[in-house]
Amino acid sequence: MFNFTVKHNNSIGFELSTNQRSPFFLKKTTHIVLILLSVILIQGCSRKKDTFINRNFHALGTRDNILFNGYNALERGRDALADSYKDNFWELLPIERLEVNEDVFLPGQSKNQDFEKAEEKAIKAVQTHGMMIDGKERNPQIDEAYLLLGKARYFDQRFIPSLEAFNYILYKYPASDKINHSKIWREKTNMRLENNEVAKENLIRLLEQEKLDDQDLADANATLAQVYLNIKEIDSALVHLKIAAASTRKKNEKGRFNFIKGQLYNMLNHKDSANMAFDEVIELHRKIPRPYYINAHLAKARNFDYDNGNIIEFQEYLTELEENRENRPFLDKIYHEIGQFHAKIEADSVAERYYNKSLRASRGDKFLNARNYSILGDMYFDRTLYKTAGAYYDSTLTSMMVNTRPYRAIKKKRENLEDVIYYEDIAKVNDSIITLVNYSEDEQLAYFTELTNKLKEEAALREEQAKKDAKEIARLNQNTTDNAATRRADVGGIKGSGQTFYFYNPTIVAFGKNEFIKIWGDRKLQDNWRLSDQRSALATTATDSVTAIGGDVKQFDPQFYISQIPTEPRVIDSIIKERNFAYYQLGIIYKEKFSEYRLAQSKLENLLTFNPEERLILPSKYNLYRLYELLNETGKAQAIKQDIITNYSESRYAEILLNPELELQRDENSPEAIYNRAFELFDDQKYTEAIALIEEKALIFEGDPILPKFEILKASAKGRLYGLESYKEAINFIALNYPNTEEGKKAQDILANAMPVLEKSEFIDDSETSKFNVIYQFEDENEEEIKNFITTLEEEVEKIRYFDLSVSKDVYNENVTFVVVHGLKSIEGASGFAELLAENLDKNEKPKITKAYFAVSSPNYAIIQRHKNLNAYLKLQ
């Protein structure tokens, strides 16, 4: 209902009273408002109109919806990278925690779904909210979208597409408030693409020309510091890393940058400055991840000055680190540093204990494990416990990256140690045998009686303990029959008793086995095993097989051991020679490979007291002379030098001592020169001469490391000249006498793998191959005749254009030489070719090649040469 009112200005108007407005009017008004809003929304959605509403509508939607979700995905991806990344504090840390790998992904593929999602959001923001009007972007959030796109690609390690995104910002949005931020990220990407000089130049220009806020300043300097590290300019890197550490607002970065500062100062050997940097890390304490805090402490510990520092205070400092409960996850590293401390103050037994504690507390740090194993290996090696040292070196290798320089160094050391272990075992065992051989019968009996009495006592103690354990288990089992659950618990182990299930105790199991044999004898595992006829004939009584826990009855009888002592002079002499050679090899190995001069001296001096074979005396004396010189024992050196010159005046050692400046490598009598001559003879197929030269010089070079090379060359020459059996015999000799040399190992491999194939002497059918030869045989002909024949044959072969033929001379044995034509394709073709030569290719001349021949396939020719079975082959033709 309308009410008319008269205004004071005499105008007539009307109004609808509040309490009298109709529903129809309200509904109509709502519709109008909705229509207006829809119009505004439609107008705002347009990306083609540059209006205030349009710009802000799209900017708001970009920032608070798409980019918000995109940056959330980016941060999740970065967190996942951080969680998976493990810092190696033993090396210089990279400034950014990002592990770059070389995996190749196809276009459209991503390494991380969160980065993929972030990239999708960035692209969506550009596609749905971009307002490119008249060549200019009107949405102020699109530069943020491209920044998100570049970062997502960067962390996904697709650096070239990432660089394109950052470059697009710089090209299209020069007035963006993110321009400096984008420049920094572009140079980070350039650095990842190894464009270090470009990144360096651009960052220096940016820092000089622009005033950056704190975090951008930190990022720019940190990136530039990494660039300088990449190009090995540590001083310049330090300058910018200091600025980055002071500027960053992120505590994690501050701790990391300061830790790297300390590492760089250590590389420059500025220990005090390094410790100050580590102190800055320590002061942050709980504001940074614990690994930075602990490793800063440990890095400071490594810088301790043992000459001028307070040892007691330093030990207390390490003890506090060990006892702090918060440091439990880092005990492996702390124990290692405590071990290093005790090793420095020469408390080796305590150091060893801590190295082992470090290994037991290991958290999977392979570098640390390798260091612990290597140090323990060295400690045992110094104590001449070579087998234990070898085991530690083996463990070291399993904790190292294969084919790195440290890996190869340890591997070589382990291989050298293998020789030491081998010869030390021989020396130890043979020394013991020779000692027993030299005992009188009464001394032997007394020695082994004492030994067997100890064995009996130990066996009795073990049996008694086993009986006690068995009774205790029976008692416990008897007390646990209340219910099935209790029985199961007791079988697994009585709570609080420390006892275990019967079969988990090896001592009780051994006792039980022994008791079974006493009652039932030795029985097979089969049905009806209790029947009397199932008792094994091998053990009818307990004393026939095993007595108590101790084992075989024979081990308690002194005569059993005495009967094992060799008595034959031939066997004893062989043991003595083997022992002497082991001592000689140990002396050389300690001297040449490990520089353990005292150990080498001891071995060689002991060897000379054994009255060794003549072949070992001179090289032992010469090596002792060199050792005395190295150890500054001038008197001993002069005495043994005079002995060599006087008593071995014709030897090459005497010549070396008389001419100290002689260059052995150029000396025609040096092992190397003689080996080269022997090899030249072998290469010229003068096998008889090569063998003779090697055998002549073998005695002179006895004990020289080059001797196995002579032997392998001689084996090859014998194989070429006399056949496979001779070669096999020579190779077997090398494998037995030089088992730990390169040549010895090669010989063992030949015997195991190649020899079974080489021993096959059956000729193959000609249809199985396509390579054939024509053979001309010469018996006891002189070299000149063979040479002339080869010249003529080559001239005739040269006339044949349709085959790729060649001619060679091959020695068959001491009396027979073959001239061989290679390159024919069938047996008929080979025979036809030889006939053609005999008829002469030029019909106007007399035949030049009239010598008898035979054709053979290449595989069968190899068998003939290998087994020297030419007659057997000819009989088959």
Side-chain angles (χ1 to χ4, degrees):
M1 177 177 182
F2 294 93
N3 294 324
F4 289 89
T5 58
V6 179
K7 301 290 184 180
H8 290 290
N9 57 5
N10 295 322
S11 62
I12 297 176
F14 63 90
E15 64 179 5
L16 188 65
S17 62
T18 305
N19 58 348
Q20 293 177 337
R21 292 171 186 164
S22 70
F24 172 77
F25 182 83
L26 292 173
K27 187 175 181 180
K28 187 175 182 180
T29 304
T30 303
H31 287 167
I32 293 170
V33 170
L34 289 174
I35 290 169
L36 289 173
L37 289 175
S38 299
V39 170
I40 293 171
L41 184 62
I42 292 169
Q43 290 291 327
C45 284
S46 174
R47 297 189 294 122
K48 301 301 182 182
K49 293 184 179 182
D50 183 15
T51 65
F52 175 82
I53 292 176
N54 292 52
R55 288 195 302 270
N56 285 280
F57 174 83
H58 284 289
L60 190 66
T62 305
R63 186 192 68 189
D64 293 344
N65 183 13
I66 300 176
L67 291 186
F68 176 81
N69 292 327
Y71 272 107
N72 281 345
L74 182 71
E75 290 305 313
R76 285 197 302 274
R78 293 184 68 173
D79 291 341
L81 283 182
D83 291 341
S84 64
Y85 185 86
K86 289 190 69 174
D87 280 309
N88 182 2
F89 288 93
W90 300 103
E91 297 177 353
L92 180 65
L93 295 181
I95 289 174
E96 184 179 33
R97 297 182 78 239
L98 178 65
E99 183 179 5
V100 178
N101 54 51
E102 302 299 326
D103 294 340
V104 177
F105 284 78
L106 297 174
Q109 288 185 320
S110 176
K111 301 175 184 179
N112 185 296
Q113 289 184 350
D114 288 315
F115 296 136
E116 184 179 8
K117 182 176 181 181
E119 184 173 354
E120 288 174 356
K121 293 296 182 182
I123 294 171
K124 182 179 179 181
V126 174
Q127 290 176 342
T128 61
H129 293 287
M131 297 179 64
M132 185 63 69
I133 302 173
D134 296 332
K136 185 176 180 181
E137 179 59 58
R138 307 298 176 172
N139 183 346
Q141 292 296 318
I142 295 301
D143 56 345
E144 282 277 7
Y146 278 106
L147 190 61
L148 173 62
L149 179 64
K151 289 182 178 181
R153 290 172 173 176
Y154 176 88
F155 288 113
D156 209 30
Q157 298 183 28
R158 292 181 290 125
F159 298 119
I160 292 177
S162 173
L163 188 64
E164 291 174 354
F166 295 131
N167 278 331
Y168 189 81
I169 298 172
L170 302 180
Y171 173 66
K172 284 290 186 180
Y173 308 99
S176 169
D177 61 340
K178 302 293 182 183
I179 195 71
N180 289 333
H181 192 70
S182 300
K183 287 180 179 179
I184 294 168
W185 277 88
R186 180 185 67 174
E187 304 320 321
K188 287 179 70 168
T189 310
N190 269 322
M191 178 195 68
R192 293 295 180 185
L193 291 169
E194 299 183 3
N195 299 325
N196 290 303
E197 290 300 330
V198 173
K200 171 185 167 183
E201 183 180 341
N202 290 339
L203 285 169
I204 290 174
R205 185 188 304 115
L206 177 66
L207 290 169
E208 288 175 349
Q209 295 178 356
E210 302 290 342
K211 184 176 181 181
L212 305 177
D213 63 28
D214 288 346
Q215 194 55 50
D216 277 347
L217 182 64
D219 291 344
N221 279 282
T223 305
L224 186 53
Q226 185 64 65
V227 169
Y228 278 120
L229 289 178
N230 293 347
I231 61 178
K232 311 299 182 186
E233 295 183 19
I234 296 177
D235 289 331
S236 299
L238 264 170
V239 172
H240 292 282
L241 196 57
K242 289 177 185 177
I243 299 172
S247 303
T248 183
R249 296 190 296 267
K250 301 174 183 177
K251 298 299 183 183
N252 287 5
E253 283 190 354
K254 188 179 290 288
R256 185 178 187 83
F257 294 164
N258 283 320
F259 188 90
I260 297 171
K261 271 170 50 185
Q263 290 183 308
L264 294 176
Y265 278 125
N266 272 338
M267 290 172 66
L268 296 171
N269 204 31
H270 298 162
K271 301 295 183 185
D272 291 339
S273 298
N275 286 344
M276 290 174 65
F278 293 132
D279 282 334
E280 291 181 68
V281 179
I282 293 168
E283 287 171 6
L284 293 169
H285 202 181
R286 290 184 174 83
K287 297 176 182 177
I288 58 173
R290 194 74 177 177
Y292 294 129
Y293 176 76
I294 293 298
N295 281 283
H297 275 297
L298 298 177
K300 274 189 69 179
R302 294 185 203 110
N303 289 339
F304 180 71
D305 186 351
Y306 285 87
D307 295 326
N308 303 310
N310 188 319
I311 298 292
I312 296 175
E313 285 184 5
F314 182 55
Q315 187 171 7
E316 291 174 352
Y317 170 71
L318 292 174
T319 303
E320 286 178 13
L321 287 176
E322 179 187 2
E323 294 177 350
N324 188 333
R325 293 175 63 86
E326 291 184 77
N327 296 341
R328 286 184 177 182
F330 308 95
L331 279 176
D332 53 345
K333 294 184 177 182
I334 295 170
Y335 287 148
H336 175 80
E337 291 306 325
I338 297 175
Q340 294 285 77
F341 164 75
H342 288 291
K344 287 281 189 181
I345 63 174
E346 299 182 355
D348 289 346
S349 59
V350 182
E352 181 183 345
R353 188 166 71 249
Y354 272 99
Y355 291 134
N356 280 309
K357 287 178 74 173
S358 176
L359 288 169
R360 288 193 294 272
S362 175
R363 310 281 292 192
D365 187 335
K366 289 193 171 184
F367 186 88
L368 177 61
N369 290 345
R371 289 191 67 172
N372 285 324
Y373 283 128
S374 177
I375 292 169
L376 287 166
D378 291 340
M379 294 175 77
Y380 281 103
F381 178 85
D382 291 340
R383 297 181 212 163
T384 68
L385 298 172
Y386 304 109
K387 282 189 176 179
T388 308
Y392 276 109
Y393 290 142
D394 286 337
S395 298
T396 304
L397 292 174
T398 62
S399 300
M400 300 180 77
M401 188 177 294
V402 177
N403 291 330
T404 58
R405 183 178 295 178
Y407 178 90
R408 288 192 293 269
I410 293 292
K411 186 178 181 183
K412 184 177 180 181
K413 194 171 187 179
R414 177 64 182 89
E415 288 171 351
N416 291 339
L417 193 61
E418 196 169 299
D419 296 341
V420 174
I421 294 170
Y422 175 76
Y423 288 115
E424 281 287 355
D425 281 347
I426 291 175
K428 184 176 180 180
V429 170
N430 289 15
D431 272 337
S432 300
I433 294 172
I434 293 166
T435 300
L436 292 172
V437 167
N438 292 330
Y439 277 175
S440 66
E441 291 183 5
D442 290 340
E443 288 173 328
Q444 291 174 353
L445 182 61
Y447 177 82
F448 287 113
T449 299
E450 182 180 355
L451 173 65
T452 52
N453 287 339
K454 287 182 180 178
L455 293 176
K456 287 176 183 177
E457 291 173 7
E458 291 171 2
L461 289 173
R462 288 197 299 271
E463 182 174 11
E464 185 63 30
Q465 184 61 44
K467 288 179 178 179
K468 290 180 180 179
D469 290 343
K471 289 179 180 178
E472 180 65 13
I473 290 290
R475 183 185 66 80
L476 291 168
N477 287 335
Q478 185 66 32
N479 293 335
T480 56
T481 57
D482 294 340
N483 56 63
T486 305
R487 282 198 299 274
R488 284 195 297 273
D490 290 334
V491 168
I494 304 303
K495 183 177 180 181
S497 70
Q499 300 297 324
T500 60
F501 180 40
Y502 180 98
F503 289 103
Y504 295 165
N505 189 321
T507 305
I508 299 175
V509 171
F511 173 75
K513 288 179 179 178
N514 180 63
E515 289 297 308
F516 179 89
I517 291 173
K518 282 183 179 180
I519 299 170
W520 298 98
D522 186 17
R523 304 217 170 198
K524 294 180 181 179
L525 182 59
Q526 60 184 17
D527 293 338
N528 301 319
W529 62 269
R530 291 175 182 241
L531 299 178
S532 59
D533 61 352
Q534 299 301 322
R535 186 181 177 93
S536 172
L538 297 175
T540 56
T541 65
T543 55
D544 287 333
S545 57
V546 179
T547 64
I549 305 296
D552 204 317
V553 174
K554 293 182 290 187
Q555 71 172 320
F556 302 132
D557 182 6
Q559 292 301 324
F560 169 73
Y561 297 101
I562 293 172
S563 66
Q564 306 300 311
I565 299 173
T567 55
E568 294 183 25
R570 179 179 59 82
V571 176
I572 295 171
D573 185 57
S574 175
I575 292 171
I576 291 172
K577 285 183 177 180
E578 190 178 40
R579 185 272 312 269
N580 292 347
F581 185 71
Y583 267 78
Y584 176 77
Q585 289 289 357
L586 287 169
I588 300 301
I589 291 169
Y590 287 137
K591 172 177 172 281
E592 301 294 340
K593 294 184 177 180
F594 294 108
S595 298
E596 293 283 348
Y597 301 134
R598 289 295 178 189
L599 273 172
Q601 177 189 355
S602 171
K603 294 298 180 184
L604 294 176
E605 285 180 344
N606 285 337
L607 171 61
L608 292 176
T609 65
F610 299 151
N611 191 27
E613 310 90 283
E614 187 67 29
R615 67 192 181 94
L616 297 179
I617 294 175
L618 181 56
S620 296
K621 288 185 174 182
Y622 177 76
N623 281 289
L624 271 175
Y625 164 73
R626 291 300 185 196
L627 286 166
Y628 291 146
E629 281 192 327
L630 290 168
L631 295 169
N632 295 319
E633 296 184 4
T634 310
K636 289 183 177 180
Q638 287 302 317
I640 204 164
K641 176 181 178 181
Q642 193 58 47
D643 179 25
I644 294 171
I645 292 171
T646 303
N647 298 317
Y648 306 91
S649 57
E650 299 299 319
S651 69
R652 69 188 184 98
Y653 295 109
E655 186 177 355
I656 293 168
L657 294 175
L658 289 169
N659 302 280
E661 303 300 323
L662 191 65
E663 295 184 50
L664 281 178
Q665 294 299 325
R666 298 182 183 177
D667 181 2
E668 64 177 11
N669 293 319
S670 71
E672 292 79 11
I674 292 173
Y675 178 83
N676 290 335
R677 290 212 302 274
F679 188 83
E680 287 173 5
L681 290 170
F682 174 85
D683 203 38
D684 290 340
Q685 299 191 57
K686 298 178 180 178
Y687 303 126
T688 305
E689 296 176 39
I691 294 168
L693 178 61
I694 293 170
E695 289 179 341
E696 177 190 348
K697 301 298 181 181
L699 290 176
I700 299 175
F701 299 141
E702 183 64 50
D704 197 294
I706 202 174
L707 187 58
K709 289 185 69 175
F710 277 100
E711 293 292 346
I712 205 84
L713 182 61
K714 185 172 76 171
S716 298
K718 283 189 168 184
R720 299 287 182 89
L721 194 60
Y722 305 123
L724 186 65
E725 286 304 314
S726 183
Y727 177 71
K728 183 178 179 180
E729 182 182 347
I731 287 293
N732 190 54
F733 174 83
I734 296 167
L736 292 174
N737 287 275
Y738 309 100
N740 293 290
T741 65
E742 192 72 29
E743 292 76 13
K745 292 170 184 174
K746 183 179 178 181
Q748 292 168 21
D749 182 63
I750 290 171
L751 289 172
N753 300 313
M755 198 58 68
V757 177
L758 296 175
E759 286 178 331
K760 294 179 180 178
S761 59
E762 298 82 9
F763 296 109
I764 70 168
D765 192 89
D766 291 334
S767 62
E768 296 180 19
T769 183
S770 61
K771 294 182 179 180
F772 293 84
N773 311 313
V774 173
I775 312 294
Y776 297 95
Q777 181 176 333
F778 291 82
E779 296 188 10
D780 298 322
E781 262 66 345
N782 59 47
E783 285 293 322
E784 191 63 31
E785 182 180 352
I786 295 173
K787 184 178 179 181
N788 291 336
F789 180 83
I790 291 174
T791 301
T792 303
L793 181 60
E794 286 177 338
E795 290 173 354
E796 295 299 304
V797 166
E798 187 68 25
K799 297 175 183 178
I800 298 176
R801 305 294 184 184
Y802 48 85
F803 281 123
D804 184 17
L805 304 178
S806 61
V807 178
S808 72
K809 182 187 80 168
D810 297 343
V811 171
Y812 176 70
N813 58 33
E814 291 176 299
N815 303 313
V816 175
T817 301
F818 292 149
V819 174
V820 187
V821 180
H822 306 267
L824 296 150
K825 302 300 182 182
S826 68
I827 193 71
E828 295 82 6
S831 299
F833 166 76
E835 291 174 4
L836 188 62
L837 288 181
E839 293 173 0
N840 198 353
L841 298 174
D842 188 346
K843 302 297 184 181
N844 299 321
E845 297 182 11
K846 292 182 179 181
K848 296 179 180 179
I849 307 296
T850 57
K851 191 171 183 61
Y853 67 88
F854 64 91
V856 62
S857 67
S858 294
N860 286 338
Y861 178 62
I863 292 171
I864 290 169
Q865 283 284 26
R866 195 179 302 139
H867 294 277
K868 305 302 176 186
N869 54 355
L870 175 60
N871 292 333
Y873 178 79
L874 294 176
K875 286 179 181 179
L876 295 175
Q877 304 309 305

